[in-house]
Amino acid sequence: MSPRLWAAGAFVVLLVALIGFAAATVPWHRAPAPRADQLAALGQLPADQVARARAFHAELRPASYGGMFLGLLVALALGLTPLGARLIELAGRPFGDHWLARAVLGGLAVALVAELISLPLAAWRHTVVVRYGISTQTWGGWSADLLKSFGVGAVLGAIVLAGFFTVTHFAPRWWWAFGAAGAAGLVVLLSFVLPVVVEPVFNRFTPMADGPLRTELLALAARDGVPVRDVLVADASRRTRAVNAYVSGLGPTRRIVVYDTMLTEATPGEVVSVAAHELGHAKDRDVLTGTVLGALGAAIAVVALYLLGSWQWLLRLAGVDSIAEPRAIGLLLAVTTVAGLIAGPAQSFVSRRVEARADTHALTLTGDAATFEAMQRRLGTVNLSDPDPPAWEHAMFASHPSTVQRMAAARAWARGDR
Ligand SMILES: [Zn+2]
């Protein structure tokens, strides 16, 4: 049997595994959040605040969509014309056109070009979030964060590029099998490593100070039966006024992180409500589910790239002989950018369902729908989120249910409508 036939078989098996795993783990049923309750909640929010949030998002839209469009355009220009291949040849020239130099330096050059072209739009976005008082960062702080994320991206990118093209170089017929296993393994590894290695590059984390709140949060976790290693406070205030909390890491690296802004902006009851939502993620193993879905998705992507590599028309456009050579990095960027845009809405949908389940968990654990609703109102107000965004935008991009959906879910829950 030829490698191509094996790859086609592996593609089908992995796809079935992804669909099966998603079917079994994604909470397809959503607790009710009747539209009538949503509209009632919307009517009770201060009108000037709603107007301000909508003005904020209207001002962000051109930069956001412009950035997305420009990113796609650059990827297509580098991948569907010989431009990308030229750039990679140039980057490898000082090193005698060695394949490893082309892979790592060429790949980083392609990524840098894409980043630099979209930089003005990112700067434009920054001016808007500063003007609306969400970001507290000066241009110096903003640039420092940008350089740090370039640095982290360059290290990770170099590892991935060197690993991937070493495999394609030494196993030209079976690279898709090693590549798929490697990509899946990398996703799992990053789930463990990112929270402990990369997050501290951007924020300082300190254990929450002893006191009634910490005691209450740990008691809440104990009552929920969720082992929590620690409750950490992130110094987010040096960057933003936005409030947030999240749970990250798996097993021994799992922790609940609360932004310091949350402690100054919200009441202790609201912090408990947010923590109860985060415990829901831990209890339902949402990080693990996301990791497995991501690992399967990454493996499928590698096999799909291999299969796509037999499409001569595509290779001719990019001016390359094979999709597995370093000169095809621009083509890989184009294909993955398009695939990412197509997969985005499905990922957002799954994320919203998972978030709605964590909301229900918070309501059940605290039994306090009123504080939950107050917390949602607070999150929406401080973060200047559109409480009831346009339906298409919500469907395409929203990772969480909207503020009015979450408030409506709390009202339905309080009525016993579950
Ligand atoms: Zn959540």
Side-chain angles (χ1 to χ4, degrees):
M1 221 160 83
S2 76
R4 179 143 315 153
L5 221 51
W6 277 105
F11 181 78
V12 172
V13 168
L14 285 167
L15 197 62
V16 169
L18 178 72
I19 293 169
F21 186 77
T25 55
V26 173
W28 300 105
H29 170 76
R30 189 186 62 176
R35 186 64 184 155
D37 287 316
Q38 294 180 28
L39 292 175
L42 184 63
Q44 286 159 5
L45 295 171
D48 57 330
Q49 239 173 51
V50 175
R52 188 171 140 79
R54 291 196 165 147
F56 173 57
H57 286 278
E59 281 200 50
L60 273 182
R61 245 169 235 135
S64 301
Y65 291 117
M68 213 179 292
F69 180 71
L70 199 61
L72 177 64
L73 214 62
V74 170
L76 293 180
L78 288 170
L80 300 187
T81 75
L83 261 180
R86 291 274 156 70
L87 181 60
I88 287 150
E89 285 166 16
L90 270 179
R93 194 151 298 163
F95 300 89
D97 300 328
H98 194 279
W99 60 271
L100 194 57
R102 281 186 172 180
V104 175
L105 298 177
L108 294 182
V110 163
L112 189 64
V113 165
E115 288 284 351
L116 288 181
I117 290 176
S118 63
L119 200 57
L121 287 166
W124 181 11
R125 275 180 64 87
H126 180 65
T127 63
V128 177
V129 291
V130 166
R131 189 147 36 79
Y132 277 84
I134 294 289
S135 172
T136 54
Q137 261 186 325
T138 60
W139 284 109
W142 182 80
S143 310
D145 266 8
L146 197 73
L147 289 176
K148 281 185 203 168
S149 64
F150 276 5
V152 169
V155 170
L156 274 177
I159 294 171
V160 169
L161 288 162
F164 180 72
F165 287 104
T166 298
V167 172
T168 64
H169 185 78
F170 290 108
R173 283 158 56 83
W174 295 95
W175 62 263
W176 56 271
F178 299 107
L186 189 70
V187 169
V188 174
L189 182 72
L190 289 181
S191 280
F192 282 98
V193 168
L194 284 183
V196 279
V197 175
V198 173
E199 286 173 14
V201 174
F202 296 93
N203 278 106
R204 276 227 327 263
F205 297 90
T206 41
M208 183 180 277
D210 277 328
L213 183 58
R214 183 188 169 87
T215 308
E216 188 169 355
L217 292 179
L218 289 175
L220 188 77
R223 186 148 54 82
D224 203 16
V226 176
V228 171
R229 186 140 182 266
D230 208 351
V231 182
L232 300 178
V233 179
D235 63 341
S237 58
R238 63 197 191 84
R239 177 176 305 122
T240 182
R241 287 204 182 86
V243 296
N244 198 9
Y246 62 94
V247 56
S248 71
L250 290 170
T253 64
R254 184 163 65 207
R255 64 260 192 86
I256 289 180
V257 179
V258 181
Y259 278 20
D260 57 353
T261 45
M262 185 97 212
L263 300 178
T264 49
E265 292 285 343
T267 67
E270 290 165 7
V271 177
V272 169
S273 201
V274 169
H277 167 101
E278 299 307 327
L279 288 171
H281 286 310
K283 186 149 190 168
D284 288 313
R285 300 170 192 273
D286 292 337
V287 176
L288 184 64
T289 302
T291 302
V292 174
L293 288 174
L296 284 169
I300 289 171
V302 172
V303 182
L305 283 176
Y306 170 83
L307 294 171
L308 209 61
S310 57
W311 195 4
Q312 290 303 321
W313 174 78
L314 212 54
L315 301 183
R316 260 200 308 278
L317 281 182
V320 299
D321 304 318
S322 154
I323 202 164
E325 62 166 307
R327 287 168 68 248
I329 288 171
L331 180 58
L332 296 181
L333 177 70
V335 171
T336 48
T337 302
V338 171
L341 286 176
I342 293 170
Q347 283 175 341
S348 302
F349 174 83
V350 168
S351 171
R352 287 195 301 273
R353 286 298 156 93
V354 168
E355 294 298 339
R357 175 170 65 183
D359 279 353
T360 304
H361 182 87
L363 288 164
T364 311
L365 182 61
T366 63
D368 186 354
T371 304
F372 179 90
E373 206 185 309
M375 180 267 285
Q376 291 305 334
R377 195 174 305 150
R378 175 94 59 194
L379 283 178
T381 306
V382 178
N383 296 351
L384 223 55
S385 38
D386 185 341
D388 191 28
W392 62 272
E393 200 170 63
H394 183 71
M396 294 279 288
F397 305 110
S399 61
H400 288 65
S402 69
T403 301
V404 297
Q405 282 174 341
R406 300 176 86 173
M407 291 168 73
R411 291 174 187 202
W413 185 90
R415 281 197 303 267
D417 182 7
R418 292 163 201 181

